[in-house]
Amino acid sequence: MAQVPQRFFDALAVRTWCGLSLRALGRAREEIDAINVYPVADGDTGTNLYLTVESAVAAVEAVFAAHEVGRVPAGRNPDRPADPAGTAGGPTLADAVGAMAHGALIGARGNSGTILAQLLRGLAQVLGAHGENAHTDGTGLRLALRHAADSARQAVAHPVEGTVLTVASAAADAAGNAEGDCAAVAHAAYEGARAALAATPGQLPVLERAGVVDAGGHGLVTVLAALVETFTGRTPVPGAAAGAVAGAVAVPHARVEHTGGETAGECAAPDGPGDGPAFEVIYLLEAEDTAVARLRQRLDALGDSLVVVGGDGLWNVHVHVDDAGAAVEAGVEAGRPYRIRITHFGAGDVHTTGTERPPRERAERAVVAVVPGEGLAGLYAEAGATTVLARPGEPPASGELVQAVRRAHAREVVLLPNDAELRHTAAAAAEQARADGIRVALIPTRSAVQGIAALAVHEPERRFDEDVVAMTSAAGATRYAEVTVAEHRSWTTAGICQAGDVLGLVDGDVAVIGADVTTVASTVLDRMLAAGGELVTLVVGDDAPEPLAGLLEARVREAYLAVDTVVYRGGRQGAPLLIGVE
């Protein structure tokens, strides 16, 4: 179906652009992954760009959904008169670009994703300055592209030409010389970016040796092509640079299989093979501007490939170092780091060597599970599962689940979402993985305790279908409950709760409202065991009272004969307590 063109850059155009970019990156992901050779040949630039844009899409859709049900975000005047672009009642341009930038920032993956997030933030800073204006024109888009390119370059500690930064600058230069509406400006930026991308092998010898263009730059060209389609309704026809790009984007020997740690080559690389840092460290950081300035200096001294993007108190930090602990400690000194990801680069595939590492053999079967806390992640990992950590309020996107399925490197995969609200996300991930030739079975586990029960009966040696049936049966036979704290006043199936009330949920519905975690937990446990049970599983979070597990164990032992209890520490899992009864 042809895309309906947008005349102006308004909130709807932002939504359209994000959706088109995600679809385009989905189609180009493998091609971009395959040409990622500088300075880390880890083959996941396309995947990381896709995940970054997926997070931006989710944030923009959330803004539109909020307006559709009558909720107006802070800073928006609900009594604003109708506008000529017809967006009254919906989000403003500032709302949409702000959500896009924020979503990309918190979901940015790898060096290229981090820089794309800063490019989008730069756009948002200019376009969002229009305030209540419904849209901007070609002039506004030119200014936004220029600011985006400049701010991305400033975010990189040691910029290198022949990378996505070069491509972004060329796009801004071409847009600056364009006349006309948004469609004309977007097309000029796209053509300028394509020409710059075709020239990258001449700027970086490692690209020339491999016979490829820069992977991050290729991703940006893909995003700009989606911008052109937003305003014209058609995918742009490549100009004169197309032949050079098409002839250079894919070389088989450039693909190196790796477990993580992508970078698109925006920072200076070491001179020889194996000379680079051993770890990639990425985290979100809440900190003041002055503290971040000091952090940049400290991290720059610790390693390379340093990119720090963001602002207004929230930052995304990416660096390659030998001392991962020191990089995290620097973040702690600057503010509050969270969503910390540390990846160890495997020997022989750290920085570009020009040789291909033999691919590791696929396993026959694997389990991929979403888990709510670090403690459960360790438990699942000990049982052989590949885990995806879901922190409170930060559910994983489908792209993250697909990446985990690929990381499991197995012919057959059992996927455990462990959350009823993730069923559609998990189903989409399973379909995408099946398209890659992986046999995936989705077991609709609604809680981590159901996942534990399924994992307990998992036997890789038996037939796939038999294993899936056994795991599904075990999960279904496990009733689940959760004790949590209400964040705001709300109607529930047990009555009205106030912010701060303790809620006991049984099989997803609020069954108990109280003031004390221990009391509510005891009541919930009694209700569950009234229907019978042989095994109680307690997953205790960091926020739970210290004596809670011991008190509940004693209660089961004294009141319910022949019922066993097992206790796990879930860490920062959001809820003080998860309960499973089999």
Side-chain angles (χ1 to χ4, degrees), residues 135-164:
H135 64 269
T136 191
D137 55 12
T139 299
L141 181 55
R142 283 196 297 271
L143 294 173
L145 288 168
R146 178 78 270 161
H147 183 67
D150 292 345
S151 63
R153 188 171 287 269
Q154 292 166 6
V156 177
H158 302 287
V160 173
E161 298 306 325
T163 66
V164 65

Side-chain angles (χ1 to χ4, degrees), residues 170-262:
D173 291 342
N177 294 325
E179 298 292 338
D181 58 11
C182 288
V185 173
H187 197 273
Y190 166 75
E191 288 295 343
R194 281 205 66 108
L197 178 64
T200 55
Q203 296 172 296
L204 275 179
V206 66
L207 299 179
E208 187 173 29
R209 288 195 301 270
V212 298
V213 294
D214 178 66
H218 185 8
L220 179 58
V221 168
T222 302
V223 171
L224 289 173
L227 184 62
V228 174
E229 187 177 357
T230 298
F231 296 119
T232 66
R234 301 182 302 274
T235 303
V237 177
V245 175
V249 292
V251 173
H253 77 265
R255 180 65 180 263
V256 178
E257 216 169 289
H258 188 65
T259 57
E262 172 271 339

Side-chain angles (χ1 to χ4, degrees), residues 84-160:
T87 59
T92 64
L93 174 61
D95 291 334
V97 294
M100 174 186 69
H102 180 74
L105 177 67
I106 65 174
R109 296 301 181 96
N111 211 355
S112 58
T114 305
I115 288 178
L116 178 60
Q118 187 66 9
L119 286 167
L120 296 180
R121 177 178 170 80
L123 279 169
Q125 287 175 324
V126 174
L127 299 177
H130 287 74
E132 294 293 303
N133 289 343
H135 64 269
T136 191
D137 55 12
T139 299
L141 181 55
R142 283 196 297 271
L143 294 173
L145 288 168
R146 178 78 270 161
H147 183 67
D150 292 345
S151 63
R153 188 171 287 269
Q154 292 166 6
V156 177
H158 302 287
V160 173

Side-chain angles (χ1 to χ4, degrees), residues 135-414:
H135 64 269
T136 191
D137 55 12
T139 299
L141 181 55
R142 283 196 297 271
L143 294 173
L145 288 168
R146 178 78 270 161
H147 183 67
D150 292 345
S151 63
R153 188 171 287 269
Q154 292 166 6
V156 177
H158 302 287
V160 173
E161 298 306 325
T163 66
V164 65
L165 296 177
T166 305
V167 175
S169 294
D173 291 342
N177 294 325
E179 298 292 338
D181 58 11
C182 288
V185 173
H187 197 273
Y190 166 75
E191 288 295 343
R194 281 205 66 108
L197 178 64
T200 55
Q203 296 172 296
L204 275 179
V206 66
L207 299 179
E208 187 173 29
R209 288 195 301 270
V212 298
V213 294
D214 178 66
H218 185 8
L220 179 58
V221 168
T222 302
V223 171
L224 289 173
L227 184 62
V228 174
E229 187 177 357
T230 298
F231 296 119
T232 66
R234 301 182 302 274
T235 303
V237 177
V245 175
V249 292
V251 173
H253 77 265
R255 180 65 180 263
V256 178
E257 216 169 289
H258 188 65
T259 57
E262 172 271 339
T263 182
E266 289 73 30
C267 304
D271 295 328
D275 293 338
F279 297 95
E280 178 187 56
V281 178
I282 306 173
Y283 50 80
L284 291 178
L285 177 71
E286 294 178 356
E288 299 297 327
D289 290 7
T290 53
V292 171
R294 293 191 298 270
L295 174 67
R296 289 179 192 269
Q297 295 178 350
R298 181 167 178 189
L299 292 180
D300 192 27
L302 286 175
D304 62 28
S305 294
L306 173 62
V307 185
V308 181
V309 303
D312 300 323
L314 180 62
W315 307 82
N316 191 307
V317 179
H318 173 285
V319 68
H320 293 178
V321 293
D322 280 321
D323 189 344
V328 175
E329 288 173 6
V332 173
E333 291 179 5
R336 186 180 79 88
Y338 61 103
R339 290 184 70 172
I340 300 167
R341 295 192 297 272
I342 300 174
T343 302
H344 181 261
F345 294 121
D349 62 2
V350 180
H351 287 265
T352 311
T353 65
T355 60
E356 184 176 4
R357 186 181 63 155
R360 61 189 175 98
E361 185 178 352
R362 276 187 184 276
E364 186 60 34
R365 189 176 308 159
V367 176
V368 173
V370 180
V371 292
E374 296 89 344
L376 280 179
L379 173 68
Y380 273 75
E382 287 176 7
T386 297
T387 62
V388 178
L389 189 61
R391 298 189 185 281
E394 300 172 6
S398 63
E400 292 180 79
L401 300 186
V402 173
Q403 194 175 36
V405 169
R406 294 186 182 124
R407 192 169 70 245
H409 204 62
R411 296 180 180 87
E412 301 170 340
V413 172
V414 179

